[in-house]
Amino acid sequence: MGAILLTSDPSPADPLPPGRCLLFAYGQLQPHCRPPRTLRRAWPDRVRGQLYDLGPYPAAVGTGAPDAPTFSGYVLDIATSELTELDQYEGVAEGRYRRVRVHTESGSEVWLYEYARPLPAGSLPTIEAWPVGGSDMSP
């Protein structure tokens, strides 16, 4: 069975089963790019922070700040056990990204990979969504 892409967030009365968590994906882990292997369902949402285009991948910084703008991505329902693999993929041990808890615009509490290094010279200014130019599945 493939993942289900929802057009809006599921009912709050539909809690996550044990062993599942929510991850906010705004880059290569989005459903139309390279989603996690345990993805069960996904829906578009927004979080507070600033999103930068670093070329092959984006960088979210200042996530969760109450006065920050919002940017688009997807909430993914994945197996909690996959977070260890995703930490490796995102370079958490090397200090490239850090996994943090934030709330989405619709109120979901999610994990998010926030960029943990200084932004490189030449980073494109804050963007609304990645990839720049969107996709046919952008929220």
Side-chain angles (χ1 to χ4, degrees), residues 12 16 25-26 31 33 36 43 60 68 71 76 78-79 85 93 102 116-117 120 122-123 125:
L16 288 173
Y26 58 87
C33 294
W43 59 94
F71 61 88
L76 310 180
I78 65 169
E85 293 170 40
V102 297
R117 294 181 175 165
S123 302

Side-chain angles (χ1 to χ4, degrees), residues 54-78:
L54 302 185
Y57 54 88
V61 298
T63 58
D67 58 343
T70 61
F71 61 88
S72 298
Y74 289 87
V75 176
L76 310 180
D77 172 350
I78 65 169

Side-chain angles (χ1 to χ4, degrees), residues 2 4 6 18-19 25-27 29-30 36 46 55 58 71 73 75 86-87 91 93 103 108 114 119:
I4 299 170
L6 306 172
Y26 58 87
L29 297 178
Q30 294 179 88
R46 303 177 68 77
F71 61 88
V75 176
L86 294 175
D87 285 354
H103 285 89
S108 296
E114 182 175 66
L119 290 168

Side-chain angles (χ1 to χ4, degrees), residues 1 14 20 25 52 57 69 77 81 85 87 105 107 111 120 125 133:
M1 178 171 118
D14 185 20
R20 306 289 300 177
Y52 290 83
Y57 54 88
D77 172 350
S81 60
E85 293 170 40
D87 285 354
E105 195 171 71
W111 288 111

Side-chain angles (χ1 to χ4, degrees), residues 89-104:
Y89 176 76
E90 296 289 355
V92 171
E94 295 82 26
R96 186 173 4 134
Y97 286 86
R98 63 180 153 256
R99 185 164 32 102
V100 298
R101 296 291 272 176
V102 297
H103 285 89
T104 66

Side-chain angles (χ1 to χ4, degrees), residues 1-3 20 23 29-30 34-41 76-86:
M1 178 171 118
R20 306 289 300 177
L23 173 71
L29 297 178
Q30 294 179 88
R34 183 186 179 266
R37 62 179 172 72
T38 61
L39 177 63
R40 191 178 93 199
R41 57 192 175 145
L76 310 180
D77 172 350
I78 65 169
T80 304
S81 60
E82 191 171 8
L83 288 173
T84 302
E85 293 170 40
L86 294 175

